[in-house]
Amino acid sequence: MRIQLNYDLSAQNTFRMKVSCACYVEYETVKELEGLNFDRLPKPLLHIGEGSNLLFTQDFPGTVLHSNIEFIKYVDMGFEDVPVMVGAGVVWDHFVAETCRHGLWGAENLSLIPGEVGAAAVQNIGAYGVEMKDLVSGVVCFDLQERRKVKFSREECRYGYRDSIFKQPENKGRYVVTSVLLRMSRKYSPRLDYKGVREALGIPGQAGKDGSTVPNPVMADPIGPLTPQQVREAIIRIRRAKLPDPEEIGSAGSFFKNPVVSREDFARISPDGSAPHYDLPDGTVKVPAAWMIDQCGLKGATEGGAAVYDKQPLVLVNASGTATPQEVLALEQRIINGVQARFGVTLHPEVDHI
Ligand code: EPU
């Protein structure tokens, strides 16, 4: 266990904001977490993962906690499903890499998403047609309010788009995820219906209504049975081409959520229907915020050292390496105002503002 006062958080947030916290605690086991003297720690408490979805807007007056609980335990009962218990502090992509190596399906489309397992379960990370909730069987937490262990089934997690019970205002800071039970599978189950994935694998398909590629029913997987590793590699190629390399340039991934609008609003946004969009089962329409930002001419826009990433305008980056929270916030506001003025849609940040 490590406890430090007046700790510099530059290395604890992928946006690389130069901020500090009054106290920083890093623990290795659930026992260490339970044994902490919470009453004596500066408040408020903030539990972070890899800090890949956070924007610190100023120095943090309380205690930042971080888990180093790292284990991956396979419960192989010889069936198709392979339950895996994973410590909250495991780097998500290390887990994906390992399960793909073992030929297990489930996580491959979520390759290269930054962050750790605990935060992935809180945030319900998603990409290329798959969400974390599709894998979660249960989440084990330490309840800071009651100071005891609690378990949540997948249903109890109340997952939604980048949302869960753990993100509800009344639960903010209450539950610390310590491990997650995931259901991986031996059953051949590639998910290739998202735009670009089949192309990246060299599998022909047909264009969907929204311009995406849908599986060609006649030529299902003509390049032969795929492995999770092959799909992982394709996803990595797609992400590397579009998203900034966290080693080189600071960012927190997608900065905004994709807005969901009514069919009438979509007709107003795109009278000829040519804008990219996804029809949702409830009759509403999801419109990529990246497209809206692009249409507003804000690709590459800057505020001081902060910039709209030119290959994927949903991502704001610390282009200079020395951008301040104020510059990022100014850029965020400019985008919200621009999209509001042009489309009458309010963008909401996906990144947590602290
Ligand atoms: N687009 C443009 N101009 C651009 C780039 C994109 O108009 O310069 C439009 C295109 O029409 C494109 C559409 O935006 O089809 C969507 O872009 P993309 O497929 O890259 O996905 P996204 O909706 O912008 C979401 C997630 C990403 C995830 C990808 C892939 C959110 C907030 N973001 O982005 O997640 O990787 O889909 O599934 O849902 C993250 O959450 O941090 C994240 C990176």
Side-chain angles (χ1 to χ4, degrees), residues 126-129 161-162 194-195 239 242-243 252-254 256-258 276 278 288 290-291 294 299 310-314 350:
Y128 311 106
Y161 172 52
R162 300 292 192 274
Y194 196 91
K195 177 178 183 179
R239 291 186 75 90
K242 272 200 205 167
L243 298 168
S254 296
F256 298 99
K257 291 188 188 178
N258 286 324
Y278 311 96
W291 177 81
D294 196 352
K299 229 170 166 171
D310 49 6
K311 287 187 220 150
Q312 176 31 308
L314 194 54
E350 194 239 358

Side-chain angles (χ1 to χ4, degrees), residues 102-159:
H102 291 324
L104 292 172
W105 293 96
E108 63 285 349
N109 287 33
L110 304 178
S111 288
L112 220 61
I113 295 187
E116 293 167 2
V117 168
V122 168
Q123 173 69 1
N124 189 20
I125 56 169
Y128 311 106
V130 177
E131 284 184 324
M132 183 75 171
K133 72 165 167 50
D134 306 333
L135 303 176
V136 171
S137 297
V139 176
V140 185
C141 297
F142 182 66
D143 179 348
L144 288 174
Q145 198 169 306
E146 307 268 326
R147 308 270 167 90
R148 66 186 177 95
K149 174 175 160 174
V150 271
K151 290 183 186 174
F152 292 84
S153 67
R154 187 235 296 253
E155 288 69 34
E156 286 166 341
C157 291
R158 289 203 255 127
Y159 281 122

